[in-house]
Amino acid sequence: MSRAREAERRARDVLDPVHFDFLAGGAGAERTLADNEAAFARRRLLPRVLRGAGAPDLSTTLLGAELAAPVVVAPTAFHRLAHPDGEVATAVGVAAAGGLMTLSMMATVAVEHVADVGVPLWFGLYLQPDRGFTAAVVARAQDAGCRALVVTADSPVRGRHTRDLAHGFRALPEGMVCENMRDADWRVRDLVVDADLTWDDVAWLRATTSLPVLVKGVLHPADARLAVGHGVDGVIVSNHGGRQLDGAVSTLDALPGVVDAVAGRVPVLLDGGVRSGTDALVALALGADAVMVGRPVLWGLALGGAAGVRAVLGDLADELAHALTLVGARRPGDLTPDLVVTP
Ligand SMILES: Cc1cc2nc3c(=O)[nH]c(=O)nc-3n(C[C@H](O)[C@H](O)[C@H](O)COP(=O)(O)O)c2cc1C
Ligand SMILES: CCCCCCCCCCC(=O)C(=O)O
């Protein structure tokens, strides 16, 4: 069992069961949640031998950020449900691992405090119908030092989270708020998920900010082409970790179509179900420039705060380095699709 999977098993024992279910759960019958992982399990590697790969080198540059490995932390809400220090502890762990963290707009710690840690940061943005408010959030994230915006595109409505509905989980515990949702008067606003969003809103954002913009939640190749056509700087193949449309295709199955459509014009990232270095290797071989991880980071955080996050990310990188050598490659960029088969 990979360390990330083991961490999930152990995190269940230390977390409040309602909070564990919020973090772990998915939408509907959780078919997409399960299939994200199952898609990796369906693949096998066809390694090359005697290639003199030498010592592995995972170092990666992504939109100007230098990373120890092509593994980025996905935006996830409410880290203080997992650990009292919340997103600050996550940031300390990610920094120690030489990684990059995407901070959710729904974080329970303010972006300025997280940025103080000094970790390379991207900001996970939910476009709000109030463009003035959105622009203010973007300016705040940029002023704090965030280096890119990750726009969530797959949430025109909230996912129906079966476990949360069963528990009646509707509100954060007393004293916990979304610190980045404060308006000019420092009042906390509610998140509005907006079914009227279109590519025009992405064009508006593109024109509003000088930061790189990545669109997260792309599965269809036509949307990948539209994203590039709207001047985005990266496309993230994601189904929100199976938390939005249950029955949506697994991200690994969607990846090749998006990679073809993007045709190398901007980086393509994938998240959903990455639980081991071998999973990461499969996604990289099929054309992803980097993978993102969501829940494994939360399990590390729950188990050991910053040290737990560092351990989860470190284990993923170690496993990836090991698998890289075993398939005959030295760098992630040496990986090719022929190394992956579906028997
Ligand atoms: C608890 C939780 C909160 C999340 N919050 C956000 C969020 O605020 N914004 C967003 O774009 N995606 C959010 N996601 C989705 C993740 O960014 C990511 O797509 C997903 O977790 C990847 O799948 P994985 O958990 O299997 O790695 C969240 C996921 C989880 C599990
Ligand atoms: C605290 C009760 C639940 C409130 C849900 C707010 C939506 C948060 C959005 C975060 C997210 O994307 C997710 O998948 O979760």
Side-chain angles (χ1 to χ4, degrees):
M1 187 189 286
S2 77
R3 299 288 284 272
R5 283 211 181 77
E6 195 188 322
E8 171 165 3
R9 194 179 49 73
R10 289 170 48 218
R12 184 190 285 273
D13 296 335
V14 303
L15 285 169
D16 174 308
V18 174
H19 297 166
F20 175 84
D21 273 349
F22 169 74
L23 302 172
E30 301 190 340
R31 283 178 299 169
T32 297
L33 172 64
D35 202 36
N36 277 346
E37 290 192 31
F40 285 102
R42 286 195 288 273
R43 265 59 177 200
R44 292 292 179 275
L45 295 166
L46 197 58
R48 300 295 305 272
V49 296
L50 299 174
R51 297 192 105 185
D57 176 7
L58 297 183
S59 59
T60 301
T61 305
L62 194 59
L63 297 177
E66 288 178 13
L67 311 178
V71 179
V72 173
V73 173
T76 52
F78 313 152
H79 287 201
R80 287 186 59 211
L81 289 180
H83 189 277
D85 297 336
E87 287 81 358
V88 165
T90 311
V92 172
V94 177
L100 187 159
M101 170 175 175
T102 312
L103 181 73
S104 172
M105 188 155 120
M106 304 304 282
T108 42
V109 177
V111 59
E112 294 81 5
H113 294 315
V114 181
D116 276 349
V117 169
V119 69
L121 267 188
W122 290 352
F123 189 80
L125 181 71
Y126 281 93
L127 290 167
Q128 298 297 284
D130 178 345
R131 283 188 171 176
F133 178 60
T134 305
V137 172
V138 167
R140 189 177 159 194
Q142 181 161 16
D143 290 349
C146 292
R147 301 177 185 186
L149 300 171
V150 172
V151 178
T152 304
D154 58 16
S155 303
V157 289
R158 276 193 195 157
R160 292 177 59 82
H161 294 182
T162 315
R163 303 189 207 189
D164 297 343
L165 292 169
H167 292 306
F169 181 56
R170 270 179 229 102
L172 287 172
E174 190 69 30
M176 235 182 256
V177 295
C178 294
E179 295 288 352
N180 299 315
M181 292 293 289
R182 292 187 184 275
D183 63 19
D185 297 321
W186 294 94
R187 286 177 305 230
V188 178
R189 291 219 188 176
D190 282 336
L191 176 73
V192 180
V193 288
D194 184 2
D196 290 327
L197 286 177
T198 69
W199 288 103
D200 288 347
D201 296 286
V202 173
W204 168 81
L205 181 69
R206 180 61 295 163
T208 301
T209 178
S210 56
L211 289 174
V213 172
L214 298 95
V215 174
K216 173 172 179 283
V218 172
L219 297 172
H220 200 297
D223 283 335
R225 279 188 285 274
L226 279 166
V228 176
H230 282 81
V232 309
D233 303 279
V235 170
I236 303 173
V237 178
S238 175
N239 52 34
H240 214 108
R243 291 164 78 83
Q244 286 298 120
L245 175 63
D246 192 35
V249 66
S250 79
T251 51
L252 190 66
D253 288 323
L255 177 66
V258 172
V259 168
D260 272 3
V262 168
R265 289 174 289 174
V266 296
V268 174
L269 284 74
L270 166 142
D271 74 22
V274 175
R275 299 292 178 266
S276 68
T278 310
D279 293 344
L281 182 139
V282 167
L284 296 168
L286 293 180
D289 294 282
V291 296
M292 295 178 107
V293 282
R295 295 179 184 84
V297 172
L298 298 171
W299 307 143
L301 180 64
L303 290 170
V309 170
R310 182 190 179 164
V312 162
L313 293 174
D315 287 343
L316 276 175
D318 288 349
E319 291 165 6
L320 173 57
H322 193 66
L324 204 61
T325 308
L326 285 169
V327 298
R330 178 175 167 80
R331 298 183 186 82
D334 300 335
L335 295 166
T336 45
D338 57 292
L339 298 171
V340 179
V341 294
T342 309

